[in-house]
Amino acid sequence: MVIMSGETSYPSSLTFQPVLERIATEVAQTPGRGRPADYIPALAACDPRRFGMAVAELDGTVYGVGDWREPFSAQSITKVFTLALDLAREGDALWEHVGREPSGNPFNSLVQLEYENGIPRNPFINAGALVVTDRLQTRTGDAAGALLEFLRAESGNPALAFDRDIAASEAANGDRNAALGHFMASYGNIDNPVPVLLEQYFLQCSIAASCADLALATGFLARHGIRADGGRLLTQSQAKQINAIMLTCGTYDAAGDFAYRVGLPGKSGVGGGIIAVVPGRCTLCVWSPGLDERGNSVAGVAALDRFTTLTGVSVF
């Protein structure tokens, strides 16, 4: 069954479950699933063969397959929600402190900051995410806590929590992020003490959530800024802006290839998760811990590629 929307064919909700099951079968037969993020010791032991995928419709109906209810470390996926929370509070003033352009460099690179005067290229590389977390910390006094409260509300899961072991592991191996924070502070682009900022940032990245949780939590971007309870978080223009930055910057320095293969705004994390948005229709989250050399889930990208190919759902 297919629903027609303008020039685009969308599958009805009845077809999502068999599509997900077909994708899971295909992924299970695919060799070469990548390697977990071994530079974070607490993530290194994850099994790269694990796989889960969920689709959430605008009304909160969720379909899933595999390990779709298994919590995993959200990592950089959380950058989308922190960006939304800060943009809702300060609006366009945020863009004086962080750019909106693809970086073309690894997510933890220091290279561009010096010749761009401490202004990160976009909110999804580590330097940009640190700036956004810093600004949210200034406005809330507890950036990580505000983020966790938001994710609990949007997912409908009050049990979501920080993984303190993951946070401690990242803190013990966080010299590069500390360098980024101090470097930007030297340009006046960080307001809070760097140790405070790093604590908030590592807690933010450590949040454990499932594919179902994250697909539901991302719904406000498919609803053009409307939260699960019907309240407005972002203007329609702001939701469009975040979706656009996800499309161009959301998968590190592989964003062009992701847009080419998947055709949806997406954001990945080195825990192996990827969220994706079909504006006006649904949201997705896929998880598999094996990463490629750019930090994106091998099976996750393949699964989203198959989803848009099989369903015809895309922003293009």
Side-chain angles (χ1 to χ4, degrees):
M1 183 184 298
V2 172
I3 298 173
M4 300 302 295
S5 177
E7 296 293 322
T8 306
S9 299
Y10 291 130
S12 74
S13 61
L14 296 177
T15 67
F16 278 140
Q17 192 62 41
V19 167
L20 294 178
E21 290 171 2
R22 176 175 173 179
I23 291 169
T25 299
E26 292 179 2
V27 166
Q29 298 169 350
T30 303
R33 298 280 286 273
R35 299 175 57 188
D38 53 10
Y39 63 91
I40 301 175
L43 297 179
C46 293
D47 181 359
R49 303 293 301 179
R50 301 290 295 276
F51 176 82
M53 189 171 184
V55 179
E57 296 187 301
L58 302 188
D59 64 358
T61 302
V62 189
Y63 305 86
V65 69
D67 299 315
W68 67 296
R69 293 196 178 278
E70 179 73 19
F72 63 91
S73 187
Q75 293 294 314
S76 288
I77 290 174
T78 61
K79 296 172 182 177
V80 171
F81 306 107
T82 305
L83 173 62
L85 290 174
D86 188 73
L87 188 61
R89 285 166 168 78
E90 68 168 318
D92 286 347
L94 169 63
W95 305 122
E96 298 174 13
H97 301 272
V98 62
R100 301 184 295 272
E101 295 291 335
S103 71
N105 284 313
F107 59 87
N108 59 356
S109 174
L110 285 140
V111 171
Q112 289 169 328
L113 279 176
E114 184 165 15
Y115 61 80
E116 294 184 349
N117 299 315
I119 305 295
R121 276 287 179 97
N122 66 70
F124 296 150
I125 56 174
N126 286 14
L130 285 165
V131 167
V132 175
T133 298
D134 176 67
R135 300 189 70 74
L136 186 62
Q137 176 69 14
T138 297
R139 281 152 186 78
T140 64
D142 183 7
L147 170 64
L148 183 60
E149 179 183 355
F150 176 79
L151 291 176
R152 285 173 171 171
E154 296 307 292
S155 68
N157 183 0
L160 291 185
F162 303 119
D163 186 323
R164 300 283 176 173
D165 290 338
I166 293 284
S169 182
E170 293 197 64
N173 296 272
D175 290 340
R176 180 67 66 95
N177 286 317
L180 291 167
H182 285 293
F183 194 81
M184 291 186 293
S186 74
Y187 282 95
N189 202 24
I190 296 293
D191 293 334
N192 294 280
V194 171
V196 172
L197 169 58
L198 292 173
E199 180 184 19
Q200 290 289 314
Y201 180 70
F202 294 141
L203 280 173
Q204 165 189 318
C205 291
S206 79
I207 291 174
S210 69
C211 291
D213 295 326
L214 291 170
L216 286 167
T218 309
F220 71 98
L221 290 174
R223 292 188 293 266
H224 309 295
I226 301 296
R227 295 186 60 167
D229 64 2
R232 180 169 287 281
L233 174 69
L234 302 172
T235 67
Q236 186 165 341
S237 179
Q238 288 171 329
K240 177 195 71 175
Q241 291 166 3
I242 292 179
N243 281 327
I245 297 169
M246 288 172 68
L247 182 67
T248 58
C249 308
T251 47
Y252 311 123
D253 54 334
D257 185 63
F258 185 84
Y260 175 83
R261 292 183 61 185
V262 175
L264 293 174
K267 181 71 195 84
S268 61
V270 298
I274 308 174
I275 56 172
V277 180
V278 186
R281 183 66 180 95
C282 64
T283 50
L284 303 97
C285 182
V286 61
W287 171 61
S288 186
L291 309 180
D292 61 22
E293 66 279 1
R294 290 171 169 175
N296 298 309
S297 170
V298 174
V301 173
L304 291 170
D305 182 357
R306 290 300 289 152
F307 179 86
T308 54
T309 299
L310 291 169
T311 63
V313 170
S314 170
V315 298
F316 299 110

